[in-house]
Amino acid sequence: MKNIYSNIFKLNKKNLSKAIRYLKSNSLVVLPTETVYGLAGNAYSKKSVQKIYSIKKRPKLNPLIVHYHSIKDIYKDVIINQEFLKLYKELCPGPITFVLKKKKNTNICDLATANLKTVAIRFPNNKIIRKILKSIKFPLAIPSANKSSGVSPVDALDVVDEFKKKLKMIIDDGRSEIGLESTVVDLTNKTQILRPGKISEIQISKILKKDVFFANKNTTIRSPGNLKKHYSPGIPIKMNQKKIPFDGAFIVFGNKFKSTQNIFNLSKKSDLNEAAKNLYKIFNLIKKLKYKKIYVAKIPNKGLGIAINDRIKHAAN
Ligand code: TXA
Ligand code: MG
């Protein structure tokens, strides 16, 4: 069947060349990753990076993650250390982002890193984006493909809903495998987690053979994107609710509540992976159904549940 959306493309040889041509000429392309869909542009080009901030209406003080194919591509841009090497070896490509010190003579444009002395880098694990990263000679600055503070897209149609026809090319690879953004770990100073994700603090601690904790958001401003309202469907949210509400949507987890019309279950079988994959879909569905309030039942705060609760908490701000 032919796609009715003229800017959604499946990857074939022709479309791969087209995506590469766009990226080389400073245009933006939406690409799938294993976490969420991202809005990609040449990280070495001020023109491309400016377009990213402008289309997303993103505050200029919120830096972008720079995406690479593999470790051999990063030496000009960042200063690596032992901890990075250990984590890279075990976890990459994969859903983890590393904050490292930026090299003085890097080509990464200052705007991409919000003029910080650090850069966040990531090696996404998705066949399509890896093929593209391998075919170009520059890394890609890629935030999630949504307007600033909104919900990250987990399929191509989410992107169309958000930007209508503003974007020339969205490469479709079905539903994002994980559905939540990557874990962000700061390796520049004290090792700490700035944003929880699929890769847990326990996994990181094991690999580094030391305890690694979450950054205290009240005392540090290390991940600017984590500061304000974020990941938000734009509807008031109340967490840790025990009763089915009568005046809003109810997001639940597990089989404790029987299905009523206003119940949206993240995972009937209490599977946190499934819940992560469904969270943003459910946010968007509730928004489409025009609910005015969202209530959320308690979700176990362990493993991927930590990342799920983190996103709901930010959305509730
Ligand atoms: O899974 C992901 O990471 C997705 C996919 C598309 O790769 N990308 C993503 O990008 O979530 P974005 O822009 O939506 O979130 C990037 C986060 C923000 O919280 C930002 O503040 C933080 O990374 N960040 C970027 N550079 C940083 C830096 N130098 N120091 C601290 N935090 C940084
Ligand atoms: Mg984002």
Side-chain angles (χ1 to χ4, degrees):
M1 199 175 70
K2 203 165 183 289
N3 202 316
I4 57 162
Y5 294 98
S6 54
N7 57 348
I8 296 184
F9 298 85
K10 283 280 181 195
L11 198 80
N12 53 29
K13 244 187 170 167
K14 189 176 132 222
N15 293 334
L16 175 69
S17 321
K18 191 170 177 161
I20 293 169
R21 205 169 352 108
Y22 278 155
L23 291 167
K24 281 185 180 166
S25 60
N26 298 324
S27 286
L28 307 183
V29 178
V30 174
L31 298 175
T33 83
E34 79 279 39
T35 57
V36 298
Y37 277 70
L39 180 60
N42 180 351
Y44 290 162
S45 148
K46 190 172 170 192
K47 213 168 161 184
S48 299
V49 173
Q50 268 170 340
K51 282 185 191 166
I52 294 177
Y53 279 90
S54 137
I55 290 182
K56 278 183 61 85
K57 297 193 167 68
R58 182 174 175 115
K60 297 255 159 59
L61 57 81
N62 188 4
L64 305 173
I65 299 173
V66 180
H67 294 58
Y68 295 86
H69 180 268
S70 61
I71 192 168
K72 66 178 185 343
D73 307 319
I74 68 173
Y75 293 103
K76 278 194 315 201
D77 298 329
V78 295
I79 299 169
I80 58 166
N81 56 36
Q82 284 306 313
E83 293 199 332
F84 166 73
L85 288 172
K86 284 181 195 159
L87 293 170
Y88 179 85
K89 199 173 149 224
E90 296 291 324
L91 303 171
C92 293
I96 182 161
T97 293
F98 309 97
V99 176
L100 292 169
K101 289 192 176 132
K102 188 161 74 173
K103 276 207 175 147
K104 277 225 173 76
N105 52 357
T106 170
N107 286 324
I108 296 175
C109 106
D110 283 334
L111 182 59
T113 59
N115 288 310
L116 295 173
K117 293 199 162 96
T118 58
V119 201
I121 66 165
R122 157 159 146 75
F123 309 86
N125 189 13
N126 167 283
K127 259 196 204 150
I128 292 176
I129 196 171
R130 280 181 61 75
K131 216 177 211 170
I132 290 176
L133 284 165
K134 208 175 170 182
S135 316
I136 53 182
K137 292 203 164 68
F138 49 86
L140 295 174
I142 319 184
S144 51
N146 53 276
K147 290 182 197 145
S148 183
S149 91
V151 177
S152 296
V154 294
D155 65 25
L157 284 178
D158 284 348
V159 183
V160 175
D161 277 348
E162 186 82 344
F163 291 106
K164 306 294 179 265
K165 286 186 176 159
K166 258 190 170 171
L167 302 168
K168 285 201 281 197
M169 186 174 212
I170 300 166
I171 303 225
D172 182 5
D173 191 30
R175 207 39 194 280
S176 307
E177 200 183 306
I178 295 173
L180 285 185
E181 305 80 357
S182 62
T183 305
V184 179
V185 60
D186 184 358
L187 302 175
T188 58
N189 240 314
K190 190 171 79 177
T191 309
Q192 51 181 354
I193 294 171
L194 306 181
R195 177 173 77 181
K198 166 103 180 156
I199 290 178
S200 69
E201 79 285 9
I202 300 169
Q203 259 174 298
I204 294 172
S205 298
K206 267 192 190 145
I207 294 168
L208 298 181
K209 299 194 172 72
K210 71 174 197 186
D211 285 336
V212 175
F213 301 102
F214 292 99
N216 182 345
K217 287 185 189 115
N218 300 322
T219 56
T220 56
I221 309 180
R222 305 303 290 275
S223 208
N226 271 345
L227 278 181
K228 295 174 287 302
K229 185 180 83 174
H230 221 108
Y231 317 110
S232 165
I235 306 167
I237 298 179
K238 271 192 172 166
M239 298 180 72
N240 297 318
Q241 300 298 300
K242 294 198 173 89
K243 275 192 223 140
I244 302 178
F246 55 87
D247 63 340
F250 194 27
I251 298 179
V252 303
F253 176 81
N255 56 9
K256 206 170 136 195
F257 299 93
K258 61 171 188 283
S259 297
T260 59
Q261 211 188 1
N262 64 341
I263 284 199
F264 299 83
N265 205 325
L266 290 169
S267 170
K268 283 187 181 158
K269 52 180 199 238
S270 300
D271 174 349
L272 287 167
N273 286 306
E274 183 180 47
K277 199 166 170 171
N278 284 334
L279 179 67
Y280 291 154
K281 269 284 159 211
I282 286 179
F283 272 172
N284 282 329
L285 177 60
I286 289 172
K287 194 174 168 182
K288 269 191 196 141
L289 293 171
K290 300 202 177 341
Y291 278 98
K292 299 277 179 283
K293 281 182 190 167
I294 300 177
Y295 298 84
V296 187
K298 204 175 169 85
I299 297 162
N301 204 40
K302 53 167 203 259
L304 199 43
I306 296 176
I308 295 171
N309 282 311
D310 168 81
R311 300 310 190 273
I312 298 173
K313 225 180 276 166
H314 275 96
N317 255 341

mmCIF file of all heavy atoms in Angstrom, residues 33 35-38 58 62-65 67 97 99 116 118-120 122 142-144 180-182 184 194-195 222-226 231, ligand 1:
data_model
loop_
_atom_site.group_PDB
_atom_site.id
_atom_site.type_symbol
_atom_site.label_atom_id
_atom_site.label_comp_id
_atom_site.label_asym_id
_atom_site.label_seq_id
_atom_site.Cartn_x
_atom_site.Cartn_y
_atom_site.Cartn_z
ATOM 1 N N THR A 33 15.582 5.405 16.129
ATOM 2 C CA THR A 33 16.641 4.823 16.956
ATOM 3 C C THR A 33 15.964 3.749 17.804
ATOM 4 O O THR A 33 14.739 3.608 17.741
ATOM 5 C CB THR A 33 17.344 5.844 17.887
ATOM 6 O OG1 THR A 33 16.560 6.017 19.074
ATOM 7 C CG2 THR A 33 17.570 7.186 17.213
ATOM 8 N N THR A 35 15.554 3.873 20.911
ATOM 9 C CA THR A 35 14.864 4.498 22.053
ATOM 10 C C THR A 35 13.600 5.219 21.583
ATOM 11 O O THR A 35 12.489 4.790 21.886
ATOM 12 C CB THR A 35 15.796 5.476 22.781
ATOM 13 O OG1 THR A 35 16.259 6.463 21.857
ATOM 14 C CG2 THR A 35 16.955 4.748 23.423
ATOM 15 N N VAL A 36 13.782 6.328 20.865
ATOM 16 C CA VAL A 36 12.665 7.109 20.309
ATOM 17 C C VAL A 36 13.120 7.633 18.948
ATOM 18 O O VAL A 36 14.286 7.488 18.585
ATOM 19 C CB VAL A 36 12.291 8.297 21.236
ATOM 20 C CG1 VAL A 36 11.834 7.813 22.601
ATOM 21 C CG2 VAL A 36 13.458 9.285 21.393
ATOM 22 N N TYR A 37 12.198 8.248 18.176
ATOM 23 C CA TYR A 37 12.583 8.848 16.892
ATOM 24 C C TYR A 37 13.299 10.178 17.139
ATOM 25 O O TYR A 37 12.931 10.929 18.044
ATOM 26 C CB TYR A 37 11.357 9.065 16.002
ATOM 27 C CG TYR A 37 10.950 7.824 15.245
ATOM 28 C CD1 TYR A 37 10.406 6.736 15.922
ATOM 29 C CD2 TYR A 37 11.143 7.722 13.873
ATOM 30 C CE1 TYR A 37 10.060 5.573 15.233
ATOM 31 C CE2 TYR A 37 10.790 6.567 13.176
ATOM 32 C CZ TYR A 37 10.249 5.498 13.863
ATOM 33 O OH TYR A 37 9.909 4.358 13.187
ATOM 34 N N GLY A 38 14.317 10.464 16.316
ATOM 35 C CA GLY A 38 15.098 11.673 16.514
ATOM 36 C C GLY A 38 15.132 12.560 15.279
ATOM 37 O O GLY A 38 14.947 12.106 14.144
ATOM 38 N N ARG A 58 13.396 24.886 20.759
ATOM 39 C CA ARG A 58 14.151 24.426 21.923
ATOM 40 C C ARG A 58 14.985 25.565 22.488
ATOM 41 O O ARG A 58 15.647 26.285 21.730
ATOM 42 C CB ARG A 58 15.069 23.283 21.485
ATOM 43 C CG ARG A 58 15.904 22.638 22.586
ATOM 44 C CD ARG A 58 16.624 21.451 21.975
ATOM 45 N NE ARG A 58 17.550 20.762 22.829
ATOM 46 C CZ ARG A 58 17.384 19.505 23.238
ATOM 47 N NH1 ARG A 58 16.293 18.840 22.924
ATOM 48 N NH2 ARG A 58 18.311 18.911 23.954
ATOM 49 N N ASN A 62 19.828 24.344 26.128
ATOM 50 C CA ASN A 62 19.674 22.888 26.288
ATOM 51 C C ASN A 62 20.448 22.143 25.198
ATOM 52 O O ASN A 62 20.016 22.073 24.053
ATOM 53 C CB ASN A 62 18.184 22.539 26.242
ATOM 54 C CG ASN A 62 17.942 21.082 26.606
ATOM 55 O OD1 ASN A 62 18.871 20.359 26.964
ATOM 56 N ND2 ASN A 62 16.699 20.652 26.515
ATOM 57 N N PRO A 63 21.613 21.575 25.550
ATOM 58 C CA PRO A 63 22.485 20.976 24.532
ATOM 59 C C PRO A 63 21.922 19.695 23.921
ATOM 60 O O PRO A 63 21.050 19.052 24.502
ATOM 61 C CB PRO A 63 23.761 20.665 25.316
ATOM 62 C CG PRO A 63 23.304 20.497 26.730
ATOM 63 C CD PRO A 63 22.148 21.422 26.902
ATOM 64 N N LEU A 64 22.452 19.345 22.746
ATOM 65 C CA LEU A 64 21.982 18.168 22.007
ATOM 66 C C LEU A 64 22.933 16.990 22.202
ATOM 67 O O LEU A 64 24.099 17.178 22.546
ATOM 68 C CB LEU A 64 21.921 18.500 20.514
ATOM 69 C CG LEU A 64 21.085 19.724 20.125
ATOM 70 C CD1 LEU A 64 21.270 20.022 18.639
ATOM 71 C CD2 LEU A 64 19.625 19.500 20.461
ATOM 72 N N ILE A 65 22.433 15.795 21.936
ATOM 73 C CA ILE A 65 23.303 14.613 21.961
ATOM 74 C C ILE A 65 23.878 14.418 20.554
ATOM 75 O O ILE A 65 23.143 14.478 19.567
ATOM 76 C CB ILE A 65 22.512 13.356 22.391
ATOM 77 C CG1 ILE A 65 21.937 13.548 23.800
ATOM 78 C CG2 ILE A 65 23.407 12.120 22.323
ATOM 79 C CD1 ILE A 65 21.008 12.426 24.255
ATOM 80 N N HIS A 67 25.483 11.977 17.853
ATOM 81 C CA HIS A 67 25.425 10.531 17.593
ATOM 82 C C HIS A 67 26.502 10.098 16.593
ATOM 83 O O HIS A 67 26.683 10.733 15.550
ATOM 84 C CB HIS A 67 24.053 10.162 17.044
ATOM 85 C CG HIS A 67 22.911 10.361 18.018
ATOM 86 N ND1 HIS A 67 22.624 11.578 18.588
ATOM 87 C CD2 HIS A 67 21.994 9.499 18.501
ATOM 88 C CE1 HIS A 67 21.562 11.440 19.395
ATOM 89 N NE2 HIS A 67 21.161 10.186 19.352
ATOM 90 N N THR A 97 23.954 7.354 26.772
ATOM 91 C CA THR A 97 24.622 8.581 26.324
ATOM 92 C C THR A 97 25.673 8.960 27.355
ATOM 93 O O THR A 97 25.419 8.905 28.555
ATOM 94 C CB THR A 97 23.568 9.708 26.198
ATOM 95 O OG1 THR A 97 22.677 9.374 25.133
ATOM 96 C CG2 THR A 97 24.214 11.060 25.912
ATOM 97 N N VAL A 99 28.398 11.799 28.820
ATOM 98 C CA VAL A 99 28.865 13.189 28.808
ATOM 99 C C VAL A 99 30.367 13.158 29.059
ATOM 100 O O VAL A 99 30.845 12.606 30.050
ATOM 101 C CB VAL A 99 28.146 14.039 29.875
ATOM 102 C CG1 VAL A 99 28.717 15.454 29.916
ATOM 103 C CG2 VAL A 99 26.639 14.081 29.594
ATOM 104 N N LEU A 116 28.822 24.628 26.261
ATOM 105 C CA LEU A 116 29.418 23.957 27.427
ATOM 106 C C LEU A 116 30.798 23.425 27.050
ATOM 107 O O LEU A 116 31.150 23.318 25.874
ATOM 108 C CB LEU A 116 28.531 22.788 27.879
ATOM 109 C CG LEU A 116 27.135 23.127 28.405
ATOM 110 C CD1 LEU A 116 26.336 21.850 28.632
ATOM 111 C CD2 LEU A 116 27.237 23.930 29.702
ATOM 112 N N THR A 118 31.556 20.441 27.699
ATOM 113 C CA THR A 118 31.320 19.004 27.591
ATOM 114 C C THR A 118 30.458 18.698 26.372
ATOM 115 O O THR A 118 29.807 19.594 25.825
ATOM 116 C CB THR A 118 30.576 18.503 28.849
ATOM 117 O OG1 THR A 118 29.348 19.236 28.963
ATOM 118 C CG2 THR A 118 31.400 18.712 30.107
ATOM 119 N N VAL A 119 30.452 17.423 25.955
ATOM 120 C CA VAL A 119 29.565 16.969 24.880
ATOM 121 C C VAL A 119 28.903 15.666 25.314
ATOM 122 O O VAL A 119 29.564 14.802 25.898
ATOM 123 C CB VAL A 119 30.323 16.560 23.589
ATOM 124 C CG1 VAL A 119 29.388 16.612 22.391
ATOM 125 C CG2 VAL A 119 31.571 17.330 23.364
ATOM 126 N N ALA A 120 27.642 15.512 25.002
ATOM 127 C CA ALA A 120 26.958 14.243 25.217
ATOM 128 C C ALA A 120 27.047 13.451 23.917
ATOM 129 O O ALA A 120 26.703 13.978 22.857
ATOM 130 C CB ALA A 120 25.509 14.493 25.600
ATOM 131 N N ARG A 122 26.499 9.531 21.796
ATOM 132 C CA ARG A 122 25.748 8.271 21.854
ATOM 133 C C ARG A 122 25.940 7.496 20.569
ATOM 134 O O ARG A 122 26.150 8.084 19.502
ATOM 135 C CB ARG A 122 24.284 8.619 22.133
ATOM 136 C CG ARG A 122 23.239 7.624 21.719
ATOM 137 C CD ARG A 122 21.942 7.854 22.497
ATOM 138 N NE ARG A 122 20.738 7.561 21.743
ATOM 139 C CZ ARG A 122 20.294 6.336 21.469
ATOM 140 N NH1 ARG A 122 20.955 5.272 21.879
ATOM 141 N NH2 ARG A 122 19.185 6.161 20.765
ATOM 142 N N ILE A 142 21.162 14.872 17.379
ATOM 143 C CA ILE A 142 19.794 14.326 17.288
ATOM 144 C C ILE A 142 19.043 14.428 18.615
ATOM 145 O O ILE A 142 19.225 13.600 19.503
ATOM 146 C CB ILE A 142 19.776 12.835 16.863
ATOM 147 C CG1 ILE A 142 20.788 12.546 15.763
ATOM 148 C CG2 ILE A 142 18.371 12.424 16.443
ATOM 149 C CD1 ILE A 142 20.741 11.112 15.250
ATOM 150 N N PRO A 143 18.165 15.405 18.744
ATOM 151 C CA PRO A 143 17.229 15.382 19.872
ATOM 152 C C PRO A 143 16.022 14.536 19.479
ATOM 153 O O PRO A 143 15.863 14.191 18.311
ATOM 154 C CB PRO A 143 16.824 16.851 19.999
ATOM 155 C CG PRO A 143 16.891 17.361 18.595
ATOM 156 C CD PRO A 143 17.998 16.588 17.888
ATOM 157 N N SER A 144 15.175 14.218 20.439
ATOM 158 C CA SER A 144 13.932 13.539 20.118
ATOM 159 C C SER A 144 13.116 14.432 19.175
ATOM 160 O O SER A 144 13.165 15.663 19.274
ATOM 161 C CB SER A 144 13.157 13.246 21.396
ATOM 162 O OG SER A 144 13.042 14.414 22.184
ATOM 163 N N LEU A 180 11.571 4.811 25.484
ATOM 164 C CA LEU A 180 12.007 5.887 26.390
ATOM 165 C C LEU A 180 13.421 6.292 25.987
ATOM 166 O O LEU A 180 14.205 5.459 25.525
ATOM 167 C CB LEU A 180 12.065 5.404 27.844
ATOM 168 C CG LEU A 180 10.777 5.207 28.630
ATOM 169 C CD1 LEU A 180 11.123 4.854 30.069
ATOM 170 C CD2 LEU A 180 9.888 6.442 28.588
ATOM 171 N N GLU A 181 13.774 7.548 26.231
ATOM 172 C CA GLU A 181 15.072 8.073 25.837
ATOM 173 C C GLU A 181 16.223 7.368 26.579
ATOM 174 O O GLU A 181 16.030 6.809 27.658
ATOM 175 C CB GLU A 181 15.141 9.577 26.116
ATOM 176 C CG GLU A 181 14.023 10.397 25.480
ATOM 177 C CD GLU A 181 12.715 10.359 26.243
ATOM 178 O OE1 GLU A 181 12.634 9.649 27.267
ATOM 179 O OE2 GLU A 181 11.765 11.023 25.808
ATOM 180 N N SER A 182 17.417 7.500 25.997
ATOM 181 C CA SER A 182 18.602 6.832 26.546
ATOM 182 C C SER A 182 18.953 7.294 27.967
ATOM 183 O O SER A 182 18.630 8.407 28.374
ATOM 184 C CB SER A 182 19.801 7.113 25.631
ATOM 185 O OG SER A 182 20.066 8.505 25.586
ATOM 186 N N VAL A 184 21.425 8.870 30.463
ATOM 187 C CA VAL A 184 22.542 9.814 30.291
ATOM 188 C C VAL A 184 23.457 9.705 31.503
ATOM 189 O O VAL A 184 23.013 9.877 32.640
ATOM 190 C CB VAL A 184 22.052 11.273 30.135
ATOM 191 C CG1 VAL A 184 23.238 12.229 29.990
ATOM 192 C CG2 VAL A 184 21.119 11.407 28.931
ATOM 193 N N LEU A 194 22.483 11.291 34.918
ATOM 194 C CA LEU A 194 21.726 12.532 34.788
ATOM 195 C C LEU A 194 20.292 12.262 34.346
ATOM 196 O O LEU A 194 19.397 13.047 34.620
ATOM 197 C CB LEU A 194 22.394 13.466 33.776
ATOM 198 C CG LEU A 194 23.871 13.794 34.011
ATOM 199 C CD1 LEU A 194 24.374 14.745 32.935
ATOM 200 C CD2 LEU A 194 24.079 14.412 35.386
ATOM 201 N N ARG A 195 20.101 11.157 33.604
ATOM 202 C CA ARG A 195 18.749 10.795 33.158
ATOM 203 C C ARG A 195 18.643 9.282 33.180
ATOM 204 O O ARG A 195 19.432 8.605 32.525
ATOM 205 C CB ARG A 195 18.503 11.334 31.740
ATOM 206 C CG ARG A 195 17.139 10.952 31.168
ATOM 207 C CD ARG A 195 16.852 11.648 29.840
ATOM 208 N NE ARG A 195 17.557 11.052 28.727
ATOM 209 C CZ ARG A 195 17.487 11.489 27.462
ATOM 210 N NH1 ARG A 195 16.755 12.538 27.165
ATOM 211 N NH2 ARG A 195 18.155 10.888 26.515
ATOM 212 N N ARG A 222 23.183 19.755 35.784
ATOM 213 C CA ARG A 222 24.100 19.066 34.887
ATOM 214 C C ARG A 222 23.446 18.669 33.579
ATOM 215 O O ARG A 222 24.076 18.608 32.551
ATOM 216 C CB ARG A 222 24.695 17.822 35.574
ATOM 217 C CG ARG A 222 25.372 18.128 36.886
ATOM 218 C CD ARG A 222 26.488 19.167 36.677
ATOM 219 N NE ARG A 222 27.600 18.608 35.949
ATOM 220 C CZ ARG A 222 28.590 17.940 36.509
ATOM 221 N NH1 ARG A 222 28.597 17.729 37.808
ATOM 222 N NH2 ARG A 222 29.574 17.479 35.779
ATOM 223 N N SER A 223 22.178 18.346 33.601
ATOM 224 C CA SER A 223 21.502 17.983 32.372
ATOM 225 C C SER A 223 20.382 18.983 32.165
ATOM 226 O O SER A 223 19.276 18.803 32.632
ATOM 227 C CB SER A 223 20.951 16.560 32.475
ATOM 228 O OG SER A 223 20.889 15.990 31.195
ATOM 229 N N PRO A 224 20.695 20.080 31.473
ATOM 230 C CA PRO A 224 19.757 21.191 31.380
ATOM 231 C C PRO A 224 18.360 20.753 30.961
ATOM 232 O O PRO A 224 17.370 21.318 31.401
ATOM 233 C CB PRO A 224 20.378 22.091 30.318
ATOM 234 C CG PRO A 224 21.818 21.722 30.299
ATOM 235 C CD PRO A 224 21.899 20.277 30.667
ATOM 236 N N GLY A 225 18.293 19.735 30.113
ATOM 237 C CA GLY A 225 16.992 19.276 29.630
ATOM 238 C C GLY A 225 16.145 18.688 30.727
ATOM 239 O O GLY A 225 14.939 18.508 30.576
ATOM 240 N N ASN A 226 16.760 18.346 31.835
ATOM 241 C CA ASN A 226 16.015 17.740 32.919
ATOM 242 C C ASN A 226 15.398 18.756 33.864
ATOM 243 O O ASN A 226 14.759 18.394 34.837
ATOM 244 C CB ASN A 226 16.940 16.830 33.737
ATOM 245 C CG ASN A 226 16.946 15.435 33.160
ATOM 246 O OD1 ASN A 226 16.081 15.100 32.366
ATOM 247 N ND2 ASN A 226 17.906 14.629 33.555
ATOM 248 N N TYR A 231 8.707 16.066 28.544
ATOM 249 C CA TYR A 231 8.001 14.820 28.228
ATOM 250 C C TYR A 231 6.509 14.947 28.481
ATOM 251 O O TYR A 231 5.855 14.024 28.927
ATOM 252 C CB TYR A 231 8.555 13.657 29.075
ATOM 253 C CG TYR A 231 10.051 13.633 29.192
ATOM 254 C CD1 TYR A 231 10.687 13.925 30.384
ATOM 255 C CD2 TYR A 231 10.832 13.318 28.080
ATOM 256 C CE1 TYR A 231 12.070 13.906 30.484
ATOM 257 C CE2 TYR A 231 12.212 13.295 28.172
ATOM 258 C CZ TYR A 231 12.826 13.598 29.376
ATOM 259 O OH TYR A 231 14.191 13.577 29.472
HETATM 260 O O1 TXA B 1 17.451 8.306 23.363
HETATM 261 C C1 TXA B 1 17.874 9.438 23.168
HETATM 262 O O2 TXA B 1 18.825 9.920 23.812
HETATM 263 C C2 TXA B 1 17.176 10.277 22.070
HETATM 264 C C3 TXA B 1 17.482 9.633 20.706
HETATM 265 C C4 TXA B 1 16.897 10.421 19.562
HETATM 266 O O3 TXA B 1 18.860 9.443 20.552
HETATM 267 N N1 TXA B 1 17.626 11.645 22.115
HETATM 268 C C5 TXA B 1 17.238 12.493 23.102
HETATM 269 O O4 TXA B 1 17.702 13.792 22.945
HETATM 270 O O5 TXA B 1 16.550 12.162 24.046
HETATM 271 P P1 TXA B 1 17.099 15.036 23.732
HETATM 272 O O6 TXA B 1 17.684 16.228 23.097
HETATM 273 O O7 TXA B 1 15.615 14.934 23.686
HETATM 274 O O8 TXA B 1 17.652 14.881 25.182
HETATM 275 C C6 TXA B 1 19.048 15.089 25.434
HETATM 276 C C7 TXA B 1 19.326 15.211 26.899
HETATM 277 C C8 TXA B 1 18.800 16.503 27.468
HETATM 278 O O9 TXA B 1 18.275 16.245 28.762
HETATM 279 C C9 TXA B 1 20.070 17.356 27.536
HETATM 280 O O10 TXA B 1 20.005 18.354 28.512
HETATM 281 C C10 TXA B 1 21.123 16.325 27.873
HETATM 282 O O11 TXA B 1 20.741 15.197 27.100
HETATM 283 N N2 TXA B 1 22.480 16.772 27.487
HETATM 284 C C11 TXA B 1 22.951 17.004 26.237
HETATM 285 N N3 TXA B 1 24.230 17.442 26.274
HETATM 286 C C12 TXA B 1 24.586 17.500 27.570
HETATM 287 C C13 TXA B 1 25.763 17.869 28.263
HETATM 288 N N4 TXA B 1 26.854 18.293 27.622
HETATM 289 N N5 TXA B 1 25.776 17.786 29.622
HETATM 290 C C14 TXA B 1 24.690 17.363 30.286
HETATM 291 N N6 TXA B 1 23.527 16.984 29.679
HETATM 292 C C15 TXA B 1 23.474 17.053 28.352
#
